[in-house]
Amino acid sequence: MSRTFILAFGIFLTIASSITGLVIIPNWQFQALKPVVKLDGTRYPEVYFGDQARGREIYIDQGCIYCHTQQVRMKGYGADIRRGWGTRRSVPRDYLMDRPHQLGTQRMGPDLASIGARQPSVDWHAIHLYNPQLTSPGSIMPRFEYFFREVRSGEAAPADAIKVPQQSNGVTHIVPTDRGRALIAYLKRLNQSFPLPEANQ
Amino acid sequence: MIAQPIPPVVIPEVEARIEVDGSSRPVIVLYWGTSLIWLTIASIAGLISSIKLHSPEFLGGMEWLTFGRIRAVHWDTAIYGFGGLAASGTLLWLQARLCQVRLPYRNLLLVGGVVFNIGLVLGTAGVLMGQSTGVETLEFPLWAMPLLVVPYVFIVIANFTMYFKKVTKHTYVSQWYLMAVTVWFPILVLSAEACTNLGAVDGVAQAIANWWYGHNVVGLFATPTGIAAAYYLIPKVIGKPIHSYHLSLLGFWSNAIFYNWAGTHHLTGGPLPAWTITLGVVGSLMMFIPVITIGINHHMTMLGSFHLLKTSPTLRFAVMGSMIYTLSSFQGSLEALRSHQEVTHFTHYTIGHVHFGMYGFFAPLMFAMMYYGMPRLMDQEWSSARLIRIHFWCTVVGMLIYVTAMCYAGIRQGLMMNDPSIPFLNIVRFTIPYLALRTLGGLILLTGTIAFLINFVRIITPHKYTWKTPTMLDTERDWKKLVELEKQSENGGTK
Amino acid sequence: MVGIEKENCFVFGVFMFIWSFALISGITMVWLLAWAIKRGEFRDLRQGARMIFDEDEPIGVVTDRFPGAPR
């Protein structure tokens, strides 16, 4: 009987030590991190609000994380920076507002840590999400056409319609739905170009 | 009155075995049977996601089947549906046999099994409807988790009850691992849910908690159960005690101490303090100690008995599992090195490694457990040797195609990604033939699973597809009859 | 700059914690091992390895084969 408790207690200790060492201590270390105030008075990183927050939820529910990372490795370790995925390595402060985290571990698609800086155009994002083949031929990304209302030739295109470069099935324009707009707002916000001091250490 | 026949002597161990197997039948059959249904679902979900990667238009336009959702469903149904149920069935049956006690709380465990399955269905539906939490391996919506955790508490209680009531004087190696699993898994799930979906920590610390869990659910849940099965099946089938009991002790404790720490290698190069990753790398490399000791024990026990692979289905799967345990663990330890991760991190190599471990080591050992256990639980033989052979060869060939294609493509992909002069889309185009090869591998694995499922359905249908006497169990003496006779004579004596 | 020094202090603290933790757990492990040997936990280990066999399925008897195969 007593032996069972010793066995169970030893087993318990092994897991308790690792969660203390790997999760609780680093979390304690990050407690001191605060957003920085930029010269123009805004903060980095800023909380997600409105369309960005809703867009983040869509990013999560569509499972973008299974193909896209949001982390740039340091210079000299991989070619993340040389590929132009970021201007500096990612640091813990970049993720202060991320709940849940979306770091990701797969790069079937490119890194998205600074996609907002690399592709600032709403139109590009809309066309890319509507049909990735139009902007990136040979891409294996699924189409997210359900985030857009299709406008066919002959129909009147509303003012906020986005022109599709190659017509197919008579679709000339697309109009992002609320969800589409939110997702694009979130993607456009992804930007780690603010030079945090600790990223250059 | 005719004189009573002299009651024959019944070996207590045999009596206990018959009692144990009889008492645990409904529970274990429910757990194993549903685990195979989930394996089929997981394989189909995996196949759909695999096809979607080389033909993105496949099943396109349906939001609930978009890659990001079906991919989450694939892993969650594989690890909780197949892994959770198969491992729990194995745990309960093995512990009952090794303690030589009847399975306790059978009704509670039956209800638990049903609730666990309902939880899996609801969780899967939640992910498909877009309610994924976005935390890898913990995608099931929070409201579905109690349905998975509460039944597991029953299993933990049953496991400890059996251990406390055990009749045997000694504790077998497998039992340490099984005890460990029941201590680890609830703590793992609860603390990981607290740290991620309940928001106890956020940002990068949450990522560490996520991968601490993601790695440990394989390392502290699937792996120990697999090792426990191998430690029982290999010696039992070939009739030879384990090579070195001392080594198994060392293997157990070093496994318990080092595996915990390995998770952070999933974030190598990521935005976390370097010391956390170093800890992960050290933990991964230290895994050489348990892997080598466990490997020596399994393979040295097998030495000289390889001819039995031809005649025993259980042994085929068990030896395949234990050999790939050694290989995939070596691969995993080396993979954790920073220089290795610089290339293969973020690539298909990781996916190849996961399947090598899960489908090359864990799944075959669970299959072996079922091949050994089901005839004893159901008191009848498997209906078809051919279906068993199909299952085995499909598992081997499908898994090898899958893993080779993914690992090779992953290394090339990683090398190309580290060369910024190669456009990203060229790398994508390079991987497509290998992704198609993976679909082929997956298809072969699914064929094997379906063959097994047919055989399983037949063995739980009483004496319809097969001869009455179990050939595997026909010992010289018909023990069942003897036990019954003894009981009768005992009853007669007390009257 | 003050922040960075603070962080260094913190890292130092973490390392101190890890080292002391390693030292204490190491000593505990050795002590536990000595205690277990003294208590006789390692005696009679081979008996444990044999507990899965019995008179009906003794050492040396193969207990599994393909269905329909001759014994």
Side-chain angles (χ1 to χ4, degrees), chain B residues 238-291:
Chain B
I238 63 179
K240 199 165 124 188
I242 203 78
H243 175 69
S244 161
Y245 215 69
H246 286 87
L247 271 185
S248 61
L249 247 169
L250 174 66
F252 173 75
W253 283 107
S254 51
N255 192 52
I257 290 166
F258 299 129
Y259 219 141
N260 280 286
W261 294 84
T264 46
H265 65 220
H266 285 270
L267 292 162
T268 312
L272 33 152
W275 63 267
T276 53
I277 295 169
T278 307
L279 271 176
V281 177
V282 172
S284 310
L285 285 177
M286 292 300 273
M287 279 305 292
F288 272 119
I289 299 174
V291 168

Side-chain angles (χ1 to χ4, degrees), chain A:
Chain A
M1 192 71 101
S2 67
R3 241 196 242 188
T4 317
F5 282 117
I6 293 168
L7 182 71
F9 186 66
I11 290 164
F12 168 75
L13 271 190
T14 57
I15 197 165
S17 69
S18 78
I19 195 170
T20 312
L22 291 178
V23 180
I24 295 171
I25 293 177
N27 187 52
W28 181 31
Q29 189 177 359
F30 300 143
Q31 290 295 303
L33 283 179
K34 295 273 174 296
V36 287
V37 180
K38 294 201 242 179
L39 285 176
D40 60 1
T42 57
R43 298 191 312 163
Y44 178 82
E46 188 52 89
V47 287
Y48 298 96
F49 56 87
D51 264 0
Q52 291 175 0
R54 273 198 308 266
R56 191 162 203 277
E57 275 163 29
I58 294 165
Y59 184 94
I60 289 166
D61 98 53
Q62 297 294 317
C64 304
I65 192 177
Y66 301 107
C67 298
H68 294 284
T69 54
Q70 288 187 17
Q71 47 171 317
V72 174
R73 294 185 285 181
M74 65 172 134
K75 199 178 260 174
Y77 191 73
D80 300 15
I81 293 175
R82 283 186 291 156
R83 277 197 177 271
W85 286 339
T87 48
R88 59 167 174 83
R89 72 179 163 102
S90 305
V91 289
R93 208 196 295 257
D94 289 317
Y95 303 93
L96 279 183
M97 305 302 166
D98 285 15
R99 178 184 290 216
H101 82 95
Q102 289 289 297
L103 284 182
T105 54
Q106 257 300 325
R107 280 181 181 165
M108 282 185 251
D111 186 81
L112 298 181
S114 289
I115 187 68
R118 281 159 51 211
Q119 297 288 359
S121 145
V122 172
D123 289 11
W124 185 90
H125 280 293
I127 293 166
H128 180 242
L129 289 170
Y130 172 68
N131 185 357
Q133 305 299 333
L134 295 176
T135 54
S136 324
S139 164
I140 53 173
M141 183 164 129
R143 291 183 63 179
F144 294 95
E145 66 257 54
Y146 38 81
F147 289 144
F148 301 92
R149 191 167 65 77
E150 293 169 331
V151 181
R152 283 161 211 285
S153 58
E155 291 172 43
D160 57 347
I162 294 155
K163 199 169 180 302
V164 178
Q166 284 166 308
Q167 285 191 26
S168 63
N169 296 331
V171 178
T172 56
H173 292 77
I174 48 170
V175 184
T177 62
D178 283 349
R179 293 168 76 208
R181 201 169 307 129
L183 181 58
I184 295 172
Y186 171 65
L187 291 172
K188 275 187 45 135
R189 172 210 151 120
L190 289 176
N191 187 342
Q192 293 185 351
S193 47
F194 181 77
L196 287 173
E198 66 266 32
N200 296 320
Q201 274 174 34

Side-chain angles (χ1 to χ4, degrees), chain B residues 238 302-312 315-316, chain C residues 62:
Chain B
I238 63 179
M302 256 318 276
L303 208 67
S305 304
F306 282 101
H307 61 278
L308 291 175
L309 288 177
K310 233 178 141 179
T311 53
S312 163
L315 201 62
R316 278 197 194 180
Chain C
V62 178

Side-chain angles (χ1 to χ4, degrees), chain B residues 287-327:
Chain B
M287 279 305 292
F288 272 119
I289 299 174
V291 168
I292 290 173
T293 49
I294 293 167
I296 289 176
N297 246 343
H298 290 170
H299 307 323
M300 291 301 280
T301 309
M302 256 318 276
L303 208 67
S305 304
F306 282 101
H307 61 278
L308 291 175
L309 288 177
K310 233 178 141 179
T311 53
S312 163
T314 304
L315 201 62
R316 278 197 194 180
F317 280 101
V319 169
M320 170 188 178
S322 70
M323 281 186 163
I324 293 181
Y325 172 68
T326 311
L327 293 177

Side-chain angles (χ1 to χ4, degrees), chain C residues 4-37:
Chain C
I4 288 164
E5 273 165 21
K6 238 186 203 165
E7 206 152 84
N8 280 342
C9 262
F10 189 88
V11 172
F12 180 73
V14 168
F15 275 109
M16 282 309 288
F17 177 82
I18 292 171
W19 279 110
S20 45
F21 181 79
L23 200 69
I24 292 168
S25 50
I27 292 170
T28 319
M29 290 286 162
V30 173
W31 177 76
L32 262 179
L33 187 70
W35 171 82
I37 292 171

